[in-house]
Amino acid sequence: MVGDNNKVIYFDHAATTSPMPEVVSLYTEVATKYYANSSSAHKLGLDNSRLLNKAREDILKAFNLHNHEVIFTSGATEANNLALKGYMERYQNRGKHLIISNIEHPSILNTADHLSKYGYDVTIVPVSSDGKVKLENIKKAIREDTVLISIMGINNETGIIQPIHEIATFIKQFPKIALHVDAVQAVGKINLPYNDIDLITVSLHKIGGLKGTGLLLKKKNIELTAMNDGGGQEKGYRSGTNDLAMAMTDAIAIKNTLTYIEQNKEYVASVTKPLYDYFLSKKDDVVVNSTFDNPYTINISLLHKKASVFAEFLSVNNIMVSTHSACSSKLDIGSPTLLAMGKNPTLAKNSMRLSFSITNTKEEVARFIEVFEYGLKEIRG
């Protein structure tokens, strides 16, 4: 270990975050006190149903949504599946063409691949070398039978912000086409035009909530084909007994995250800017794959070291980083996003992602730089 610092430094918040203390305490309280089934017709059930609806209202209010409704899911993967499969199947009479980008999360890419095997047509638009989806490419991909476009808000590997405002404004001229945004990495980091987006995916464990819970925020005039049959909860879109405690903690986590979005971003930027500048100064050792308009994520590629070895070295020194997305970190193909951006396979395989939250400090960044410098000198390429 470099030095005698035993404090764990966690720079992997894009993979998951520590739940807020108030979220944990509220879940315990509600799960213990309000244990009745909210679908039951007796007093306890009706009381719980009212609390469940209040959680929905609080979530919509936090997002400042006026014409949407909440579908509680088990996480973002289920929400993405429901958005794409549910929408495409429901409106297949209008058209069977779906547009996505080539840097989407696996839960979008694999769902689109599934749809293509069942008679749906999928166009995958490329990103440019800057990691962004260009509106011009979406315009070219739109056809008469296009019914859904799905583009993520922020890429989970590079942290690069996608032009959702521009895309949402353009799509308004196509009443038959809906826009879905996987906002998992965007919620709490940037302001999206939520009211102009038809389907919005949210993951709670990325913003201080609990694992095993997510949301699909859907415009009221949109219908979906349910992915599972059952008792008809969530207006029939997602059957299964509701977890009231989870719903109420969702509302708290979202409210806390969205209320302080600007203050939090300013703080995180002050913490991570020295690290971003440090990486830029190490041109002989590091390629920076991110831009600083999103200070929450810094993606780099090592030029002369193996990223997996370097990440293990950092871990031994109690610094936790990712060697790209946790959803594909066990694959030896390198970063799919960097490959899509035109980076060579060596850079794609040697990438590391550092992702931050308001719990990180300047002292942690200084410690990271100290250990990173040591690693550059001591670790064999």
Side-chain angles (χ1 to χ4, degrees):
M1 180 176 289
V2 181
D4 57 357
N5 192 324
N6 292 316
K7 178 187 175 183
V8 173
I9 297 175
Y10 185 75
F11 288 168
D12 197 22
H13 287 94
T16 196
T17 59
S18 174
M20 301 173 186
E22 56 267 47
V23 163
V24 176
S25 60
L26 179 62
Y27 185 89
T28 302
E29 177 188 352
V30 175
T32 303
K33 185 176 180 180
Y34 300 97
Y35 52 84
N37 191 322
S38 57
S39 296
S40 296
H42 51 63
K43 182 180 182 303
L44 290 181
L46 294 174
D47 288 344
N48 286 8
S49 180
R50 282 189 285 270
L51 290 172
L52 185 64
N53 288 332
K54 177 66 163 53
R56 296 184 202 277
E57 293 169 5
D58 290 345
I59 289 168
L60 295 173
K61 183 178 180 180
F63 279 104
N64 195 30
L65 288 171
H66 310 300
N67 195 33
H68 286 67
E69 56 191 6
V70 177
I71 303 173
F72 291 106
T73 69
S74 63
T77 293
E78 183 188 351
N80 281 340
N81 271 262
L82 178 58
L84 267 60
K85 294 176 183 175
Y87 190 90
M88 294 301 294
E89 184 172 335
R90 174 62 182 82
Y91 294 104
Q92 59 182 303
N93 62 316
R94 296 182 182 177
K96 303 184 76 171
H97 183 225
L98 164 69
I99 298 173
I100 65 172
S101 81
N102 64 346
I103 60 164
E104 297 301 313
H105 187 271
S107 61
I108 293 291
L109 291 170
N110 291 337
T111 299
D113 182 62
H114 172 91
L115 286 167
S116 69
K117 296 174 182 176
Y118 287 87
Y120 296 91
D121 200 1
V122 180
T123 296
I124 302 177
V125 298
V127 295
S128 300
S129 58
D130 62 0
K132 293 185 179 181
V133 179
K134 297 299 185 236
L135 178 60
E136 193 60 36
N137 288 334
I138 292 178
K139 289 181 180 179
K140 292 177 181 178
I142 290 177
R143 308 185 323 205
E144 184 64 30
D145 60 340
T146 303
V147 291
L148 182 63
I149 298 173
S150 179
I151 303 294
M152 61 178 18
I154 291 180
N155 181 260
N156 51 300
E157 294 188 42
T158 62
I160 291 174
I161 300 171
Q162 302 304 316
I164 299 300
H165 287 80
E166 188 180 9
I167 295 170
T169 299
F170 172 74
I171 293 177
K172 285 181 181 179
Q173 63 185 288
F174 299 92
K176 192 177 73 173
I177 300 177
L179 175 63
H180 167 250
V181 172
D182 178 348
V184 166
Q185 297 291 342
V187 173
K189 296 173 184 169
I190 59 173
N191 290 308
L192 289 175
Y194 291 113
N195 277 291
D196 294 330
I197 303 171
D198 300 289
L199 298 157
I200 306 160
T201 293
V202 181
S203 175
L204 274 299
H205 76 96
K206 307 289 189 180
I207 57 170
L210 299 174
K211 296 177 181 66
T213 180
L215 307 173
L216 182 61
L217 306 175
K218 178 187 72 66
K219 278 192 175 178
K220 293 177 181 178
N221 65 328
I222 286 177
E223 297 179 1
L224 302 171
T225 297
M227 294 296 100
N228 58 320
D229 298 314
Q233 291 88 347
E234 299 303 291
K235 295 189 175 180
Y237 295 122
R238 204 270 181 176
S239 292
T241 302
N242 289 105
D243 187 339
L244 173 63
M246 196 74 86
M248 292 179 68
T249 61
D250 289 354
I252 289 293
I254 288 169
K255 179 181 178 181
N256 289 354
T257 299
L258 295 182
T259 298
Y260 303 104
I261 183 171
E262 296 301 333
Q263 300 95 310
N264 290 348
K265 183 177 181 180
E266 182 178 351
Y267 170 77
V268 171
S270 72
V271 169
T272 59
K273 187 63 163 65
L275 183 55
Y276 185 78
D277 291 341
Y278 166 76
F279 284 138
L280 288 178
S281 73
K282 307 296 290 186
K283 294 184 183 298
D284 292 337
D285 301 296
V286 171
V287 171
V288 179
N289 303 311
S290 302
T291 56
F292 200 68
D293 53 349
N294 172 18
Y296 287 89
T297 300
I298 302 176
N299 186 294
I300 64 170
S301 292
L302 301 176
L303 291 175
H304 310 296
K305 311 295 181 184
K306 192 172 182 180
S308 59
V309 174
F310 212 104
E312 183 179 354
F313 161 75
L314 292 171
S315 181
V316 168
N317 283 277
N318 288 328
I319 299 175
M320 311 303 156
V321 303
S322 173
T323 51
H324 49 88
S325 168
C327 295
S328 57
S329 62
K330 292 180 173 60
L331 303 178
D332 193 30
I333 60 173
S335 162
T337 298
L338 295 185
L339 291 171
M341 291 168 61
K343 303 285 185 179
N344 66 55
T346 300
L347 291 179
K349 285 188 177 182
N350 266 347
S351 66
M352 291 199 309
R353 181 188 67 185
L354 290 75
S355 46
F356 311 91
S357 81
I358 58 171
T359 63
N360 293 124
T361 65
K362 294 180 180 179
E363 290 74 21
E364 290 177 338
V365 166
R367 169 64 179 168
F368 174 91
I369 292 174
E370 174 192 8
V371 175
F372 193 86
E373 275 289 322
Y374 183 89
L376 289 178
K377 297 173 183 175
E378 298 299 324
I379 296 176
R380 295 185 177 183

